[in-house]
Amino acid sequence: MRDVGIDRRALLRRVGGIAAGVATTSLTACETGADRDSTGTKGAKGSKTLVVRDAGGTYGAANRKAVYDPFTKETGIRIKVVNPLYEEMLAQIKKGRPRFDVMDTNMADLARFHQEDAIEELDYDRLKHAKDAGIAESLLTSYGLGKNYWASVMAYRTDAFGGKKPETWADFWDTKAFRGSRALQGSVDFPELEFALLADGVPLHKLYPLDVDRAFKALDEIKGSVRTFWEDGAVPGELLDRKEVVASRVWNGRLQDLIQRGAPLAYQWNGARRQSNGYGIPKGAENPDAAYRLIDFALRPEVQANTAKIYPQGPVVPIAYTNLSENDATNLASTPGHLASSFDLDVEWWLKNKDTVTKRWRKWMRA
C-alpha cells in the first residue's frame, strides 16, 4: 500500500511555494534548520521536538503550513518530519526504537500495525476534539484515528461524448454509448473490484464482502477497451489531456491543475471509493504526550478546514465545512453530497484478502 500523492505543481503553488520533500525512506525530509538541530531534548525555547512520520512531498508541505507550524506557534513544540515507509517503520518499532512519535499514514497500514502489536491503544479521553465531533465510527478505532478523506473517482473528457457525460460506473463500462479508450489503475493501490461490481449492478451498501469472481467477470467485459494500467497517479491526467483515453479512474485532486488551465476534464463522484489517512502512536514512542496534543490540534474544525484549502483531502470533522466555501468543498471526498453517493473501502476485508486478490489482479492484467 502506498501513500497517495496529488499533483505537485498545482499544490506547491497553493502551499505558497513551501519546499517539499520527496516521500522516500530517508529520515530527513521536511525539516527546518531548527528541526535538524533537535534530538528530542529541550529546544532553544525550552520545548521538546515531536517527530512525525508523514508521506512528505506536497502532502507534507501542506501539513507543515496548516498543522505543524501553527501547532508550534501555539505550543512551542517543534515538529521534525520523517518519511519512512511501512516496512521500515515496522522494523524500527519491533526493535523497540521507533524514530518517530506519531504516524500519519493510511488507515489500512495503521490496522496492519495493530495486527503486528506495534501500535499503542489510543486514549480518547486525551482527545477532546474527537468527542462528539461527528467523526465516522470507522475512523475512531482503538489503534488509529482518521484525519482526512481522499477518494478514487472516475474522470473523463467533457468533449468526448457529444454532450453526454458518464454518471455511473455502468456508463464507464458502456463502451458503445460512451466510445473511446479507458485507463485503469495497475497495482499501485487496491484493485478495481468495487467499480466493476457497481458497473454490474451491485448497490453501494451491498458491495462487501466483495464477490471476487463476479468482479473479474465484469472486468473481462471492459478489458479490451483499457489502453493502459497506470502505476503513477499523474498518468491518468496526462492520458486524458493528450486524448489517449476518454475516461479513467483517478485519485481526486489529480486533475486540478489541468482543469484550472482549461482542459476539458471533469470528475464523476458517483460510486467513488473513499479512503482515509489517520494518526497512530507507535509502541515505544518517546514523546506520546506531545503526540496526543498534535493529534487533538489537527482535529480542530478550523485546522481541518485550513488543511483542506491547501490540500484536496476532505475533513473528517463535519463542522469544518462551515469554514469552507462551496468552491473549496467541490472536490473534497467528505462533502455531504459526495458522502451520500460514494462508499468507504472496507479495510478489514481488504487486509484479509489483498494478497490473494492482488495476485489474481496482476495475472489478469498480464493475460
Side-chain angles (χ1 to χ4, degrees), residues 231-245:
E231 299 291 350
D232 184 298
V235 171
E238 295 169 358
L239 294 171
L240 287 161
D241 192 39
R242 295 196 299 259
K243 299 184 179 182
E244 293 183 31
V245 301

Side-chain angles (χ1 to χ4, degrees), residues 155-161 172 175 178-184 223-230 234-249 255 258 263-265:
Y156 62 95
R157 288 192 62 91
T158 59
D159 60 358
F161 309 118
F172 185 96
T175 56
F178 298 90
R179 297 181 180 276
S181 296
R182 271 61 164 162
L184 291 175
K223 188 175 183 181
S225 296
V226 177
R227 181 183 180 90
T228 188
F229 294 95
W230 52 267
V235 171
E238 295 169 358
L239 294 171
L240 287 161
D241 192 39
R242 295 196 299 259
K243 299 184 179 182
E244 293 183 31
V245 301
V246 296
S248 177
R249 204 277 273 166
L255 304 183
L258 291 168
L265 308 177

Side-chain angles (χ1 to χ4, degrees), residues 95-142:
K95 291 178 181 178
R97 298 189 299 275
R99 297 177 64 184
F100 44 90
D101 301 300
V102 61
M103 298 177 285
D104 175 344
T105 189
N106 64 73
M107 291 296 289
D109 275 355
L110 293 177
R112 294 169 71 196
F113 284 120
H114 179 60
Q115 290 179 340
E116 294 283 351
D117 193 29
I119 197 166
E120 294 286 352
E121 297 286 312
L122 289 178
D123 181 357
Y124 279 90
D125 287 337
R126 303 177 70 176
L127 298 169
K128 65 179 182 179
H129 289 102
K131 292 183 178 180
D132 302 318
I135 300 173
E137 289 187 10
S138 61
L139 301 184
L140 298 171
T141 72
S142 64

Side-chain angles (χ1 to χ4, degrees), residues 39-252:
T39 60
T41 57
K42 294 289 184 179
K45 296 183 179 180
S47 63
K48 290 185 176 181
T49 295
L50 178 68
V51 184
V52 180
R53 183 275 167 194
D54 72 23
T58 51
Y59 181 75
N63 279 329
R64 173 65 68 184
K65 184 174 183 180
V67 183
Y68 305 153
D69 287 348
F71 176 77
T72 298
K73 183 177 181 180
E74 178 174 303
T75 66
I77 300 171
R78 292 179 294 179
I79 302 294
K80 175 181 176 180
V81 178
V82 298
N83 311 129
L85 301 180
Y86 174 83
E87 291 77 10
E88 185 175 351
M89 287 190 281
L90 182 62
Q92 290 180 22
I93 297 169
K94 289 293 188 181
K95 291 178 181 178
R97 298 189 299 275
R99 297 177 64 184
F100 44 90
D101 301 300
V102 61
M103 298 177 285
D104 175 344
T105 189
N106 64 73
M107 291 296 289
D109 275 355
L110 293 177
R112 294 169 71 196
F113 284 120
H114 179 60
Q115 290 179 340
E116 294 283 351
D117 193 29
I119 197 166
E120 294 286 352
E121 297 286 312
L122 289 178
D123 181 357
Y124 279 90
D125 287 337
R126 303 177 70 176
L127 298 169
K128 65 179 182 179
H129 289 102
K131 292 183 178 180
D132 302 318
I135 300 173
E137 289 187 10
S138 61
L139 301 184
L140 298 171
T141 72
S142 64
Y143 52 82
L145 195 163
K147 68 183 291 276
N148 57 41
Y149 282 109
W150 52 276
S152 299
V153 301
M154 183 199 313
Y156 62 95
R157 288 192 62 91
T158 59
D159 60 358
F161 309 118
K164 296 186 298 182
K165 62 179 182 179
E167 296 183 350
T168 65
W169 286 104
D171 292 339
F172 185 96
W173 252 248
D174 188 348
T175 56
K176 293 182 179 178
F178 298 90
R179 297 181 180 276
S181 296
R182 271 61 164 162
L184 291 175
Q185 153 249 301
S187 300
V188 67
D189 193 9
F190 295 98
E192 311 278 47
L193 271 62
E194 291 96 337
F195 306 133
L197 291 171
L198 290 173
D200 201 41
V202 177
L204 285 173
H205 65 284
K206 293 186 177 181
L207 278 172
Y208 297 102
L210 300 182
D211 185 333
V212 176
D213 290 336
R214 181 175 176 179
F216 275 98
K217 184 177 179 181
L219 285 162
D220 286 339
E221 296 174 4
I222 199 175
K223 188 175 183 181
S225 296
V226 177
R227 181 183 180 90
T228 188
F229 294 95
W230 52 267
E231 299 291 350
D232 184 298
V235 171
E238 295 169 358
L239 294 171
L240 287 161
D241 192 39
R242 295 196 299 259
K243 299 184 179 182
E244 293 183 31
V245 301
V246 296
S248 177
R249 204 277 273 166
V250 303
W251 292 320
N252 76 287

